Amino acid sequence: MADNSDTLHLLKDRATADNDGNLRRAAIGALASNFKNDPDTRSFLKDRATADNQWDVRYRAVKALASNFKDDPDTRSFIKDRATADNDGNVRGAAIEALASNFKDDPDTRSILKDRATADNQWNVRYVAVKALASNFKDDPDTCSILKDRATADKSGNVRRAAIEALASNFKDDPDTRSFLKNLTTADNAWDVRGAAIEALASNSLAKYFRYQPELFEIYYNCAVNDSFVGRHHPLRNSNPRHVALEIIIKQFSQHLQTLPLLRDKAENDPDEQVRNFAQQKLKQW
């Protein structure tokens, strides 16, 4: 296929002229996979990464450039530009991920990620930047402070939750991590963020540091009894912090004197039907 000039011409034509963005996107992928050595492919992808009027086509072109031409110095500068200049957050996010994956050692990558984690006006870009910072630059002294800031100050609960999970995974040795997470189990106004903080305290990444410590029982107990969750459940995970806390108590503090009375109370009196059903099921297994 790589020697078929008719195929190459057809793909270039479809990547620009077809009215269907899905077909343009597919043509871009085929070009990058099969005609990487063609002298025009790189410039063609750059054009599509900026000129196409659909974000998902530009997204595909950015990803194709990063995957196939990462050794080209122009690709690096181009991806940096897309991380800030593209008007769609999904494309900026793809560029950020490409920088973190392929150009971690570039002196500008770290500063771009820090900037996008705090200054980007779309939560999904800040989300990607926060996760990329934590994964690739956890040894940077600014990363921990940025994560703490995003875990409290970001207006998006998704970003705050990502920052909490990153702190638990990457900064368990930081002396302030536990107290910081403990505060967020009650202080955040979003139930899913409070739940993330509770799960982070009990997570495997913090296991040898914090799990089974008696003083944590009171945090989980207080949440199981007093958290104010009222709302819809997340379809893929336990979304009620009372449910999350009760599950942790059963797993980690089954022998505690207050666990069985708490379970009985939740089975009868919790305002959330899912929590009541969960507690009733656990009582039958007790």
Side-chain angles (χ1 to χ4, degrees):
M1 182 176 179
D3 295 328
N4 192 328
S5 60
D6 291 338
T7 301
L8 176 60
H9 177 76
L10 177 64
L11 290 175
K12 288 181 178 179
D13 178 70
R14 292 302 86 198
T16 54
D18 201 283
N19 291 327
D20 189 330
N22 292 320
L23 290 178
R24 297 199 303 277
R25 192 168 67 247
I28 284 170
L31 276 171
S33 298
N34 298 287
F35 296 97
K36 176 181 176 179
N37 295 326
D38 185 88
D40 295 331
T41 297
R42 184 175 55 194
S43 60
F44 188 88
L45 293 177
K46 288 180 180 179
D47 175 74
R48 292 298 85 203
T50 54
D52 199 281
N53 60 6
Q54 283 190 219
W55 73 263
D56 53 343
V57 179
R58 300 196 304 277
Y59 176 98
R60 183 61 175 269
V62 164
K63 300 277 280 186
L65 273 169
S67 298
N68 295 281
F69 298 99
K70 61 184 178 182
D71 295 329
D72 186 275
D74 292 337
T75 298
R76 185 180 308 196
S77 59
F78 184 85
I79 298 295
K80 289 178 185 179
D81 176 74
R82 292 299 88 199
T84 56
D86 197 279
N87 61 12
D88 185 90
N90 295 293
V91 180
R92 297 198 300 278
I96 286 168
E97 289 177 335
L99 284 173
S101 299
N102 299 297
F103 306 109
K104 177 182 176 180
D105 295 331
D106 186 282
D108 294 332
T109 295
R110 189 179 315 198
S111 60
I112 290 173
L113 295 184
K114 290 178 181 179
D115 175 71
R116 293 299 88 196
T118 55
D120 201 279
N121 62 4
Q122 289 189 233
W123 75 263
N124 57 330
V125 181
R126 300 194 303 276
Y127 178 93
V128 169
V130 160
K131 292 178 76 69
L133 265 178
S135 298
N136 295 280
F137 297 102
K138 61 184 179 182
D139 294 329
D140 185 300
D142 292 337
T143 298
C144 186
S145 61
I146 289 174
L147 292 178
K148 288 179 178 178
D149 173 73
R150 291 300 88 198
T152 53
D154 201 280
K155 61 185 178 181
S156 167
N158 292 314
V159 179
R160 298 198 302 278
R161 192 169 66 246
I164 285 169
E165 292 168 355
L167 281 168
S169 298
N170 298 289
F171 295 95
K172 51 186 173 286
D173 295 321
D174 187 284
D176 296 329
T177 296
R178 181 169 62 167
S179 59
F180 185 85
L181 294 176
K182 285 167 63 176
N183 179 63
L184 290 179
T185 63
T186 56
D188 200 280
N189 61 5
W191 53 261
D192 56 338
V193 179
R194 297 194 303 273
I198 293 164
E199 289 182 318
L201 279 172
S203 68
N204 290 331
S205 61
L206 293 175
K208 69 177 183 178
Y209 295 87
F210 304 148
R211 284 179 73 184
Y212 309 113
Q213 295 191 19
E215 63 267 27
L216 291 182
F217 178 85
E218 294 304 320
I219 295 173
Y220 304 139
Y221 185 89
N222 178 63
C223 179
V225 173
N226 298 316
D227 192 271
S228 59
F229 171 86
V230 176
R232 296 180 179 179
H233 287 268
H234 193 284
L236 301 178
R237 57 185 169 83
N238 293 335
S239 50
N240 185 338
R242 296 194 304 275
H243 191 298
V244 173
L246 184 61
E247 190 168 5
I248 292 169
I249 287 172
I250 292 169
K251 288 180 179 178
Q252 299 186 10
F253 298 94
S254 61
Q255 302 304 312
H256 197 284
L257 292 177
Q258 291 177 272
T259 296
L260 185 56
L262 173 65
L263 192 57
R264 288 171 174 159
D265 177 70
K266 293 285 101 181
E268 293 292 330
N269 302 314
D270 196 276
D272 188 327
E273 182 180 6
Q274 287 194 17
V275 175
R276 294 196 305 274
N277 290 340
F278 172 75
Q280 290 165 11
Q281 180 185 8
K282 291 301 178 181
L283 277 175
K284 292 177 182 178
Q285 301 170 0
W286 201 263

